[in-house]
Amino acid sequence: MKLMTRRTGVAVFAAALALAATSPAHAEYPERAITILVPFAAGGTTDVVARIMGDSMSRILKQQVLVENVTGAGGTVGVTRAKNATPDGYTLLMGNLGTQAASVGLYPKLAYDPRTDFEPILNTGGTPMLVVAKKDLPVKSFKEFVAYLKANGDKMNYGTGGVGATSHLTCLFLDALLGVKPTHVPFRGSGPALNALLGGQVDYVCDQTVGVVPSIQAGTVNGLVVATDKRIAVTPNVPTSVEQGLPDFQAIGWNALFAPKGTPKDIVTKLNAVARQALNEDGTRKRLLDLGIILPTEAEQTPEHLAQHVAKEIDKWVPVIKKAGVTVSQ
């Protein structure tokens, strides 16, 4: 048998390296289940969106896409866990306005930087914010609610998905516009906050359409106003803040998929393509639209656009938080 010379061996090794360099590094991805970390309790907006997207992505990838709820500290516990996860495409994050933008202004010792510690994948859509009151609150309109809140603010309370959650930001924004200081009651997600509203433990919530539209439609809560300049199709009888005389009260939440920093670019590219395909499936689109979500345009469905969006949202909301004088120690 002819022995391989040293020169031949080196040439073969070099050829193997060249082949590896030109071959897809993650051709078999995914080989196992993917987990989307949701930094809030089950039943809230971020959780619902993650499960809808996960269902569709599972079908496309032919691998399970699981949702795991990791609660605490306004969502920052779950986000920190996502940041520290192995950047291999098997642990993703469904973040939102609160965790990826407002957190910068709320937490002086935040354990992550939303702008640099994650690979953006896809903005899954905007969610108009609504003010929703418990059924027996003695008001019939948003104007009546404003008058009642100004007269009884120190005796009233509102529930949120936690300090820094989108629901908290929106209520803070409303407080600042009206010059009131009702009591904030934080929960481990907007789902538990809504349950407290339904049970009469809190007077009102400021929440995204996904969480409260079913209750508004069922008549178990009183939808007072949507913080947009146009009414939304899923709650056509709920007036806008412009119609109700508070045009500055404009707030749209959002949810988006991220991966830990350092996740290989080919995996991020594949995840973006799969998430885009999922978002644009007829069934998925209908489920999201029925919840009042404003879907991103084609141009807004890129990782680059999401990165720019996060930076702009930080610039928008941090001054609001500083003006309100709200900070949270960890």
Side-chain angles (χ1 to χ4, degrees):
M1 188 169 78
K2 187 176 181 180
L3 295 177
M4 180 181 290
T5 66
R6 182 175 183 276
R7 179 177 294 178
T8 304
V10 170
V12 170
F13 181 66
L17 284 179
L19 178 63
T22 57
S23 299
H26 308 278
E28 300 303 319
Y29 172 84
E31 298 179 303
R32 52 186 170 87
I34 296 170
T35 297
I36 299 177
L37 296 181
V38 170
F40 302 103
T45 299
T46 305
D47 178 71
V48 171
V49 172
R51 292 178 190 278
I52 291 174
M53 290 294 295
D55 286 347
S56 185
M57 291 173 69
S58 293
R59 292 192 299 272
I60 296 167
L61 289 168
K62 295 181 172 55
Q63 283 283 3
Q64 280 190 304
V65 178
L66 308 172
V67 171
E68 181 180 350
N69 301 91
V70 181
T71 64
T76 60
V77 171
V79 179
T80 301
R81 179 169 154 184
K83 172 205 168 186
N84 294 329
T86 302
D88 57 6
Y90 290 99
T91 301
L92 308 179
L93 168 70
M94 184 64 82
N96 69 5
L97 185 158
T99 62
Q100 308 306 118
S103 56
V104 175
L106 285 166
Y107 296 89
K109 297 182 179 180
L110 190 64
Y112 60 88
D113 187 332
R115 293 160 292 201
T116 58
D117 287 334
F118 299 93
E119 304 290 349
I121 298 173
L122 178 74
N123 187 332
T124 58
T127 47
M129 304 299 296
L130 295 100
V131 178
V132 181
K134 64 182 181 181
K135 196 66 178 173
D136 61 354
L137 196 71
V139 298
K140 294 181 180 179
S141 69
F142 182 65
K143 288 181 178 179
E144 289 184 7
F145 169 78
V146 168
Y148 188 84
L149 184 57
K150 286 183 175 181
N152 302 279
D154 58 338
K155 303 173 186 175
M156 295 179 67
N157 60 27
Y158 61 88
T160 74
V163 176
T166 306
S167 50
H168 182 215
L169 285 179
T170 305
C171 278
L172 272 182
F173 188 27
L174 181 62
D175 290 349
L177 289 173
L178 300 180
V180 296
K181 291 186 177 181
T183 300
H184 174 214
V185 183
F187 294 87
R188 287 182 174 268
S190 56
L194 179 60
N195 288 335
L197 181 70
L198 292 169
Q201 284 84 49
V202 295
D203 294 313
Y204 65 100
V205 299
C206 305
D207 204 357
Q208 301 172 73
T209 53
V210 177
V212 297
V213 162
S215 297
I216 293 173
Q217 292 174 337
T220 52
V221 296
N222 187 6
L224 296 172
V225 73
V226 57
T228 58
D229 57 359
K230 296 179 181 178
R231 294 197 184 198
I232 53 177
V234 290
T235 55
N237 295 324
V238 177
T240 69
S241 54
V242 174
E243 292 175 297
Q244 291 293 294
L246 196 64
D248 291 339
F249 185 46
Q250 301 282 306
I252 295 180
W254 49 269
N255 293 279
L257 272 175
F258 300 87
K261 186 70 176 179
T263 300
K265 184 171 179 56
D266 60 330
I267 288 181
V268 172
T269 299
K270 182 168 184 176
L271 285 168
N272 172 261
V274 169
R276 289 176 76 160
Q277 184 177 340
L279 189 69
N280 290 292
E281 283 187 341
D282 289 343
T284 304
R285 287 180 65 85
K286 185 178 187 307
R287 291 176 71 183
L288 295 173
L289 289 170
D290 285 349
L291 292 169
I293 291 177
I294 302 170
L295 297 179
T297 65
E298 184 176 349
E300 295 169 342
Q301 295 178 24
T302 66
E304 294 76 17
H305 183 276
L306 177 54
Q308 294 168 4
H309 183 68
V310 168
K312 288 178 181 178
E313 287 291 273
I314 290 172
D315 291 343
K316 173 182 176 179
W317 285 101
V318 168
V320 173
I321 293 164
K322 288 183 177 180
K323 186 175 181 180
V326 180
T327 56
V328 183
S329 60
Q330 289 180 302

